[in-house]
Amino acid sequence: MAGLPWGGILLSLLGTLAIWLTTYDAALSGAILLVWICSLLLRRRDPPPAPEPPARGTLGPEQTRELIEPLSQPYLMMEKGRITIANRAARDVLGPHIVGQDARVAVRHPEAIRLLDSKGGGSATIKGLSGPRSIWNVSVRPVDDARTTIELVNRTAEADISRAHTDFVANASHELRTPLSSIIGYVETMLEADVDDGRPMEPATRHRFLEIVAKEAKRLQALVEDLMSLSRVEAGKHDLPPTVLDLRELTEHVVSGVTSLHGKDRVFLDVDPRPMPVRGDTQQLDQLTRNLIDNAMKYGSKTEPVHVSVKHSDASYELTVTDKGEGIAPEHLPHLTRRFYRTDPGRSRAAGGTGLGLAIVKHIVERHRGRMDIASELGVGTTITIRLPRHVDEEAKGA
Ligand code: ATP
Ligand code: MG
């Protein structure tokens, strides 16, 4: 009962009633009612034909081309050994000429050719497909007897990251091992001297050895602290600092700490008296300023002061640290912010440096959505400029 078309039946009854009222012909009205109701019931029993399921393999070349063209991953279609379709991403990687070309000529790589020749398809990681350092994952899948799809996935960036991780662990281990070996060496020498001839070691020699042990242990401590700092900054890299601070006040505070330790004539500060609100992490910006001043004092001239300035510039505040020192050769400039990179490793280590100072600075600047520029001239000196975006108080702006 529930499935009957009650709405239609009601309309038929009303229509028939109207005809009977105008004609008073019961036979005609009855016949019309019968035809209406039968037509309603028959239509219900005869559902509209279900749409035909799309037949397999009916996607024509044009449709396939349209479908794969906008995909960001390179996709190709090979038919009887020739490339018939290649989307934009594939043409960018292998060249625009590949469509219509023999697939083996198009990929020009022995491993990829072996994969194309294999009957059942498969996938392989292939080096040097689009450049000497490139790494691609190539997947070949037969669609039918004649056609085969080829998918390329770029793995170069992943490989670079994994290589950078391996390099970092290797460098960090090396940096940690050096002071540790030194500590173990000196302590063992002192122990052996006591055991060998039963006579205690010369107090002066023992004292010198202990000084070395203390220095190396401090280096180890600095290294571990810098590694922890770096990983903390990296972990929070995507979170904008929650607090607003005054860059001018922070710089004044850091410089006063440095001058109280090294003397007033070692660092000169030039500040713009206007407030400089930035969204920043006090501890990190403190560390950034200290690292730059520390470098300027370490690698700059011992007789010339370091100049620090903070001022307003277009849409940012600018912190600069300038030293008159030996400067940095241009070939080193692009690498200075790499972890453990030093222009003179022996000298940096002797000065207790870890080679992580500028890497930490770079990550702090990135977290604060700022910019860092290094300008240096051999024999003249170095200027490092940090630009941090101004903090605009949204409430004050709206008022
Ligand atoms: P740490 O910062 O842990 O003490 P570090 O100073 O050696 O170690 P970075 O601060 O990262 O490490 O500096 C990397 C290298 O850049 C330094 O070893 C040095 O060779 C060079 N460098 C940095 N600042 C200057 C500068 N102002 N003048 C000349 N060379 C510099
Ligand atoms: Mg440094």
CSV table of all heavy atoms in Angstrom, one decimal, residues 99-147:
chain,number,residue,atom,x,y,z
A,99,VAL,N,56.9,12.9,-26.9
A,99,VAL,CA,55.6,12.3,-27.4
A,99,VAL,C,55.8,11.9,-28.9
A,99,VAL,O,56.3,12.6,-29.7
A,99,VAL,CB,54.5,13.4,-27.3
A,99,VAL,CG1,53.1,12.8,-27.8
A,99,VAL,CG2,54.3,13.8,-25.9
A,100,GLY,N,55.5,10.6,-29.1
A,100,GLY,CA,55.7,10.0,-30.5
A,100,GLY,C,57.0,9.3,-30.6
A,100,GLY,O,57.3,8.6,-31.5
A,101,GLN,N,57.9,9.5,-29.6
A,101,GLN,CA,59.2,8.9,-29.7
A,101,GLN,C,59.2,7.5,-29.1
A,101,GLN,O,58.3,7.1,-28.4
A,101,GLN,CB,60.2,9.8,-28.8
A,101,GLN,CG,61.6,9.8,-29.3
A,101,GLN,CD,62.4,10.8,-28.4
A,101,GLN,OE1,62.2,10.9,-27.2
A,101,GLN,NE2,63.3,11.5,-29.1
A,102,ASP,N,60.2,6.7,-29.6
A,102,ASP,CA,60.4,5.4,-29.0
A,102,ASP,C,60.7,5.6,-27.5
A,102,ASP,O,61.5,6.4,-27.1
A,102,ASP,CB,61.6,4.7,-29.7
A,102,ASP,CG,61.8,3.3,-29.3
A,102,ASP,OD1,61.7,3.0,-28.1
A,102,ASP,OD2,62.0,2.5,-30.2
A,103,ALA,N,60.0,4.8,-26.7
A,103,ALA,CA,60.1,5.0,-25.2
A,103,ALA,C,61.5,4.8,-24.7
A,103,ALA,O,62.0,5.5,-23.8
A,103,ALA,CB,59.1,4.0,-24.5
A,104,ARG,N,62.2,3.8,-25.4
A,104,ARG,CA,63.6,3.6,-24.9
A,104,ARG,C,64.5,4.8,-25.2
A,104,ARG,O,65.4,5.0,-24.4
A,104,ARG,CB,64.1,2.3,-25.7
A,104,ARG,CG,63.3,1.1,-25.5
A,104,ARG,CD,63.4,0.2,-26.6
A,104,ARG,NE,63.7,-1.2,-26.1
A,104,ARG,CZ,64.8,-1.8,-26.0
A,104,ARG,NH1,65.9,-1.1,-26.4
A,104,ARG,NH2,65.0,-3.0,-25.5
A,105,VAL,N,64.2,5.5,-26.3
A,105,VAL,CA,65.0,6.7,-26.6
A,105,VAL,C,64.6,7.8,-25.6
A,105,VAL,O,65.5,8.6,-25.2
A,105,VAL,CB,64.8,7.1,-28.1
A,105,VAL,CG1,65.6,8.3,-28.4
A,105,VAL,CG2,65.1,5.9,-29.0
A,106,ALA,N,63.3,7.8,-25.3
A,106,ALA,CA,62.8,8.9,-24.5
A,106,ALA,C,63.4,8.9,-23.1
A,106,ALA,O,63.8,9.9,-22.5
A,106,ALA,CB,61.3,8.9,-24.4
A,107,VAL,N,63.5,7.7,-22.5
A,107,VAL,CA,64.0,7.6,-21.1
A,107,VAL,C,65.6,7.5,-21.1
A,107,VAL,O,66.2,8.0,-20.1
A,107,VAL,CB,63.4,6.4,-20.3
A,107,VAL,CG1,61.9,6.6,-20.1
A,107,VAL,CG2,63.7,5.1,-20.9
A,108,ARG,N,66.2,7.0,-22.1
A,108,ARG,CA,67.6,6.9,-22.2
A,108,ARG,C,68.3,6.5,-20.9
A,108,ARG,O,69.3,7.1,-20.5
A,108,ARG,CB,68.2,8.3,-22.6
A,108,ARG,CG,67.8,8.9,-23.9
A,108,ARG,CD,68.6,10.2,-24.1
A,108,ARG,NE,68.5,11.1,-23.1
A,108,ARG,CZ,67.5,12.0,-23.0
A,108,ARG,NH1,66.7,12.2,-23.9
A,108,ARG,NH2,67.5,12.9,-22.0
A,109,HIS,N,67.8,5.5,-20.3
A,109,HIS,CA,68.5,5.0,-19.1
A,109,HIS,C,68.4,3.5,-19.1
A,109,HIS,O,67.3,2.9,-19.1
A,109,HIS,CB,67.8,5.6,-17.9
A,109,HIS,CG,68.6,5.5,-16.6
A,109,HIS,ND1,68.7,4.3,-16.0
A,109,HIS,CD2,69.3,6.3,-15.9
A,109,HIS,CE1,69.5,4.4,-14.9
A,109,HIS,NE2,69.9,5.7,-14.9
A,110,PRO,N,69.5,2.8,-19.0
A,110,PRO,CA,69.5,1.3,-19.1
A,110,PRO,C,68.5,0.6,-18.1
A,110,PRO,O,67.8,-0.2,-18.5
A,110,PRO,CB,71.0,0.9,-18.8
A,110,PRO,CG,71.8,2.1,-18.7
A,110,PRO,CD,70.9,3.3,-18.7
A,111,GLU,N,68.5,1.1,-16.9
A,111,GLU,CA,67.6,0.4,-15.9
A,111,GLU,C,66.2,0.7,-16.2
A,111,GLU,O,65.3,-0.3,-16.1
A,111,GLU,CB,67.9,1.0,-14.5
A,111,GLU,CG,68.8,0.1,-13.7
A,111,GLU,CD,69.0,0.8,-12.3
A,111,GLU,OE1,68.2,0.5,-11.4
A,111,GLU,OE2,70.0,1.6,-12.2
A,112,ALA,N,65.9,1.9,-16.7
A,112,ALA,CA,64.5,2.2,-17.0
A,112,ALA,C,64.1,1.4,-18.3
A,112,ALA,O,62.9,0.9,-18.4
A,112,ALA,CB,64.3,3.7,-17.3
A,113,ILE,N,65.0,1.3,-19.2
A,113,ILE,CA,64.7,0.5,-20.4
A,113,ILE,C,64.4,-1.0,-20.1
A,113,ILE,O,63.4,-1.6,-20.6
A,113,ILE,CB,65.9,0.6,-21.4
A,113,ILE,CG1,65.9,2.1,-21.9
A,113,ILE,CG2,65.7,-0.4,-22.6
A,113,ILE,CD1,67.1,2.4,-22.8
A,114,ARG,N,65.2,-1.5,-19.2
A,114,ARG,CA,65.0,-2.9,-18.7
A,114,ARG,C,63.6,-3.1,-18.2
A,114,ARG,O,62.9,-4.0,-18.4
A,114,ARG,CB,66.0,-3.3,-17.7
A,114,ARG,CG,66.9,-4.4,-18.1
A,114,ARG,CD,67.7,-5.0,-17.0
A,114,ARG,NE,68.4,-4.1,-16.1
A,114,ARG,CZ,69.5,-3.5,-16.3
A,114,ARG,NH1,70.1,-3.6,-17.5
A,114,ARG,NH2,70.0,-2.7,-15.4
A,115,LEU,N,63.2,-2.1,-17.4
A,115,LEU,CA,61.8,-2.1,-16.8
A,115,LEU,C,60.7,-2.0,-17.8
A,115,LEU,O,59.7,-2.7,-17.8
A,115,LEU,CB,61.7,-0.9,-15.8
A,115,LEU,CG,60.6,-0.9,-14.8
A,115,LEU,CD1,60.8,-2.1,-13.8
A,115,LEU,CD2,60.7,0.4,-13.9
A,116,LEU,N,60.9,-1.2,-18.8
A,116,LEU,CA,59.9,-1.0,-19.9
A,116,LEU,C,59.8,-2.3,-20.7
A,116,LEU,O,58.7,-2.7,-21.2
A,116,LEU,CB,60.3,0.1,-20.9
A,116,LEU,CG,60.3,1.5,-20.3
A,116,LEU,CD1,60.8,2.5,-21.3
A,116,LEU,CD2,58.9,1.9,-19.9
A,117,ASP,N,60.9,-3.0,-20.8
A,117,ASP,CA,60.9,-4.3,-21.6
A,117,ASP,C,60.3,-5.5,-20.9
A,117,ASP,O,59.9,-6.4,-21.5
A,117,ASP,CB,62.4,-4.7,-22.0
A,117,ASP,CG,62.9,-3.7,-23.1
A,117,ASP,OD1,62.1,-3.0,-23.7
A,117,ASP,OD2,64.1,-3.7,-23.4
A,118,SER,N,60.3,-5.4,-19.5
A,118,SER,CA,59.7,-6.5,-18.8
A,118,SER,C,58.2,-6.6,-19.0
A,118,SER,O,57.5,-5.6,-19.1
A,118,SER,CB,60.0,-6.3,-17.3
A,118,SER,OG,59.3,-5.3,-16.8
A,119,LYS,N,57.8,-7.9,-19.2
A,119,LYS,CA,56.4,-8.1,-19.6
A,119,LYS,C,55.4,-7.6,-18.6
A,119,LYS,O,54.4,-6.9,-18.9
A,119,LYS,CB,56.2,-9.6,-19.9
A,119,LYS,CG,56.7,-10.1,-21.2
A,119,LYS,CD,55.5,-10.0,-22.2
A,119,LYS,CE,56.0,-10.2,-23.7
A,119,LYS,NZ,56.6,-9.0,-24.2
A,120,GLY,N,55.6,-8.0,-17.3
A,120,GLY,CA,54.5,-7.8,-16.3
A,120,GLY,C,54.6,-6.4,-15.7
A,120,GLY,O,53.9,-6.1,-14.7
A,121,GLY,N,55.5,-5.5,-16.1
A,121,GLY,CA,55.7,-4.2,-15.5
A,121,GLY,C,56.5,-4.4,-14.1
A,121,GLY,O,57.1,-5.4,-13.9
A,122,GLY,N,56.4,-3.3,-13.3
A,122,GLY,CA,57.1,-3.3,-12.0
A,122,GLY,C,57.6,-1.9,-11.7
A,122,GLY,O,57.2,-1.0,-12.4
A,123,SER,N,58.4,-1.8,-10.6
A,123,SER,CA,58.9,-0.5,-10.3
A,123,SER,C,60.3,-0.6,-9.8
A,123,SER,O,60.8,-1.6,-9.4
A,123,SER,CB,58.0,0.2,-9.3
A,123,SER,OG,58.1,-0.5,-8.1
A,124,ALA,N,61.0,0.5,-10.0
A,124,ALA,CA,62.5,0.5,-9.6
A,124,ALA,C,62.9,2.0,-9.3
A,124,ALA,O,62.3,2.9,-9.8
A,124,ALA,CB,63.3,0.0,-10.7
A,125,THR,N,63.9,2.1,-8.4
A,125,THR,CA,64.4,3.4,-8.1
A,125,THR,C,65.6,3.6,-9.0
A,125,THR,O,66.5,2.8,-9.1
A,125,THR,CB,64.8,3.5,-6.6
A,125,THR,OG1,63.7,3.2,-5.9
A,125,THR,CG2,65.4,4.8,-6.2
A,126,ILE,N,65.5,4.8,-9.8
A,126,ILE,CA,66.5,5.0,-10.8
A,126,ILE,C,67.3,6.3,-10.6
A,126,ILE,O,66.6,7.3,-10.3
A,126,ILE,CB,65.9,4.9,-12.2
A,126,ILE,CG1,65.5,3.5,-12.4
A,126,ILE,CG2,66.8,5.5,-13.3
A,126,ILE,CD1,64.6,3.2,-13.6
A,127,LYS,N,68.6,6.2,-10.6
A,127,LYS,CA,69.4,7.5,-10.4
A,127,LYS,C,69.7,8.1,-11.7
A,127,LYS,O,70.0,7.4,-12.7
A,127,LYS,CB,70.7,7.1,-9.7
A,127,LYS,CG,70.6,6.9,-8.2
A,127,LYS,CD,72.0,6.7,-7.6
A,127,LYS,CE,71.8,6.4,-6.1
A,127,LYS,NZ,73.1,5.9,-5.6
A,128,GLY,N,69.7,9.4,-11.7
A,128,GLY,CA,70.2,10.2,-12.9
A,128,GLY,C,69.3,10.2,-14.1
A,128,GLY,O,69.7,10.4,-15.2
A,129,LEU,N,68.0,10.1,-13.9
A,129,LEU,CA,67.0,10.1,-15.0
A,129,LEU,C,66.9,11.5,-15.6
A,129,LEU,O,66.8,11.7,-16.8
A,129,LEU,CB,65.7,9.6,-14.5
A,129,LEU,CG,64.6,9.3,-15.6
A,129,LEU,CD1,65.0,8.0,-16.4
A,129,LEU,CD2,63.3,9.0,-15.0
A,130,SER,N,66.8,12.5,-14.7
A,130,SER,CA,66.7,13.9,-15.2
A,130,SER,C,67.9,14.8,-14.9
A,130,SER,O,67.9,15.9,-15.2
A,130,SER,CB,65.4,14.5,-14.6
A,130,SER,OG,65.5,14.5,-13.2
A,131,GLY,N,68.8,14.3,-14.2
A,131,GLY,CA,70.0,15.0,-13.9
A,131,GLY,C,70.9,14.1,-13.1
A,131,GLY,O,70.5,13.1,-12.6
A,132,PRO,N,72.2,14.4,-13.0
A,132,PRO,CA,73.2,13.5,-12.4
A,132,PRO,C,72.8,13.1,-10.9
A,132,PRO,O,73.0,12.0,-10.5
A,132,PRO,CB,74.5,14.2,-12.4
A,132,PRO,CG,74.2,15.6,-12.9
A,132,PRO,CD,72.9,15.7,-13.5
A,133,ARG,N,72.2,14.1,-10.2
A,133,ARG,CA,71.9,13.8,-8.8
A,133,ARG,C,70.4,13.3,-8.5
A,133,ARG,O,70.0,13.1,-7.4
A,133,ARG,CB,72.2,15.0,-7.9
A,133,ARG,CG,73.7,15.2,-7.6
A,133,ARG,CD,73.9,16.3,-6.7
A,133,ARG,NE,73.1,16.2,-5.5
A,133,ARG,CZ,72.1,17.0,-5.2
A,133,ARG,NH1,71.7,18.0,-6.1
A,133,ARG,NH2,71.4,16.9,-4.1
A,134,SER,N,69.7,13.3,-9.6
A,134,SER,CA,68.2,13.0,-9.4
A,134,SER,C,68.0,11.6,-9.1
A,134,SER,O,68.7,10.7,-9.6
A,134,SER,CB,67.5,13.4,-10.7
A,134,SER,OG,67.8,12.5,-11.7
A,135,ILE,N,66.9,11.3,-8.3
A,135,ILE,CA,66.5,10.0,-8.0
A,135,ILE,C,65.0,9.9,-8.3
A,135,ILE,O,64.2,10.6,-7.7
A,135,ILE,CB,66.9,9.6,-6.5
A,135,ILE,CG1,68.4,9.6,-6.4
A,135,ILE,CG2,66.3,8.3,-6.2
A,135,ILE,CD1,68.9,9.3,-5.0
A,136,TRP,N,64.6,8.9,-9.1
A,136,TRP,CA,63.2,8.8,-9.4
A,136,TRP,C,62.7,7.3,-9.2
A,136,TRP,O,63.5,6.4,-9.4
A,136,TRP,CB,63.0,9.0,-10.9
A,136,TRP,CG,63.1,10.5,-11.3
A,136,TRP,CD1,64.3,11.1,-11.7
A,136,TRP,CD2,62.1,11.5,-11.3
A,136,TRP,NE1,64.0,12.4,-11.9
A,136,TRP,CE2,62.7,12.7,-11.7
A,136,TRP,CE3,60.7,11.5,-11.1
A,136,TRP,CZ2,62.0,13.9,-11.8
A,136,TRP,CZ3,60.0,12.7,-11.2
A,136,TRP,CH2,60.7,13.9,-11.6
A,137,ASN,N,61.5,7.2,-8.8
A,137,ASN,CA,60.9,5.9,-8.6
A,137,ASN,C,60.0,5.7,-9.9
A,137,ASN,O,59.1,6.5,-10.1
A,137,ASN,CB,60.0,5.9,-7.4
A,137,ASN,CG,59.6,4.5,-7.1
A,137,ASN,OD1,58.5,4.1,-7.5
A,137,ASN,ND2,60.5,3.7,-6.4
A,138,VAL,N,60.4,4.8,-10.7
A,138,VAL,CA,59.6,4.5,-12.0
A,138,VAL,C,58.7,3.3,-11.8
A,138,VAL,O,59.2,2.2,-11.5
A,138,VAL,CB,60.6,4.3,-13.1
A,138,VAL,CG1,59.9,4.2,-14.5
A,138,VAL,CG2,61.6,5.5,-13.2
A,139,SER,N,57.4,3.5,-12.1
A,139,SER,CA,56.5,2.4,-12.0
A,139,SER,C,55.9,2.1,-13.4
A,139,SER,O,55.4,3.1,-14.0
A,139,SER,CB,55.3,2.6,-11.1
A,139,SER,OG,55.9,2.9,-9.8
A,140,VAL,N,56.0,0.9,-13.9
A,140,VAL,CA,55.5,0.6,-15.2
A,140,VAL,C,54.3,-0.4,-15.0
A,140,VAL,O,54.5,-1.5,-14.4
A,140,VAL,CB,56.6,0.0,-16.1
A,140,VAL,CG1,56.1,-0.5,-17.4
A,140,VAL,CG2,57.7,1.0,-16.3
A,141,ARG,N,53.1,-0.1,-15.5
A,141,ARG,CA,52.0,-1.0,-15.4
A,141,ARG,C,51.3,-1.3,-16.7
A,141,ARG,O,50.8,-0.3,-17.3
A,141,ARG,CB,50.9,-0.4,-14.4
A,141,ARG,CG,51.4,-0.4,-13.0
A,141,ARG,CD,50.3,0.1,-12.1
A,141,ARG,NE,50.9,0.7,-10.9
A,141,ARG,CZ,51.1,2.0,-10.8
A,141,ARG,NH1,50.8,2.8,-11.8
A,141,ARG,NH2,51.7,2.5,-9.7
A,142,PRO,N,51.2,-2.5,-17.2
A,142,PRO,CA,50.5,-2.8,-18.4
A,142,PRO,C,49.0,-2.6,-18.2
A,142,PRO,O,48.5,-3.1,-17.2
A,142,PRO,CB,50.8,-4.2,-18.7
A,142,PRO,CG,51.8,-4.7,-17.7
A,142,PRO,CD,51.8,-3.7,-16.6
A,143,VAL,N,48.3,-1.9,-19.2
A,143,VAL,CA,46.9,-1.7,-19.1
A,143,VAL,C,46.2,-2.8,-19.9
A,143,VAL,O,45.3,-3.5,-19.4
A,143,VAL,CB,46.5,-0.4,-19.7
A,143,VAL,CG1,45.0,-0.1,-19.7
A,143,VAL,CG2,47.2,0.8,-19.1
A,144,ASP,N,46.7,-3.1,-21.1
A,144,ASP,CA,46.2,-4.2,-21.9
A,144,ASP,C,47.4,-4.7,-22.7
A,144,ASP,O,48.5,-4.4,-22.4
A,144,ASP,CB,45.0,-3.8,-22.8
A,144,ASP,CG,45.2,-2.5,-23.5
A,144,ASP,OD1,46.4,-2.3,-24.0
A,144,ASP,OD2,44.3,-1.7,-23.6
A,145,ASP,N,47.1,-5.5,-23.8
A,145,ASP,CA,48.2,-6.1,-24.6
A,145,ASP,C,49.1,-5.0,-25.2
A,145,ASP,O,50.3,-5.2,-25.4
A,145,ASP,CB,47.6,-6.9,-25.7
A,145,ASP,CG,47.0,-8.2,-25.1
A,145,ASP,OD1,47.4,-8.5,-23.9
A,145,ASP,OD2,46.3,-8.9,-25.8
A,146,ALA,N,48.5,-3.9,-25.6
A,146,ALA,CA,49.2,-2.9,-26.3
A,146,ALA,C,49.7,-1.7,-25.5
A,146,ALA,O,50.8,-1.2,-25.7
A,146,ALA,CB,48.4,-2.3,-27.5
A,147,ARG,N,48.9,-1.4,-24.4
A,147,ARG,CA,49.2,-0.1,-23.7
A,147,ARG,C,49.8,-0.3,-22.3
A,147,ARG,O,49.4,-1.3,-21.7
A,147,ARG,CB,47.9,0.8,-23.6
A,147,ARG,CG,47.5,1.2,-25.0
A,147,ARG,CD,46.2,2.1,-24.9
A,147,ARG,NE,45.2,1.4,-24.2
A,147,ARG,CZ,44.1,2.0,-23.6
A,147,ARG,NH1,44.0,3.3,-23.8
A,147,ARG,NH2,43.2,1.3,-23.0
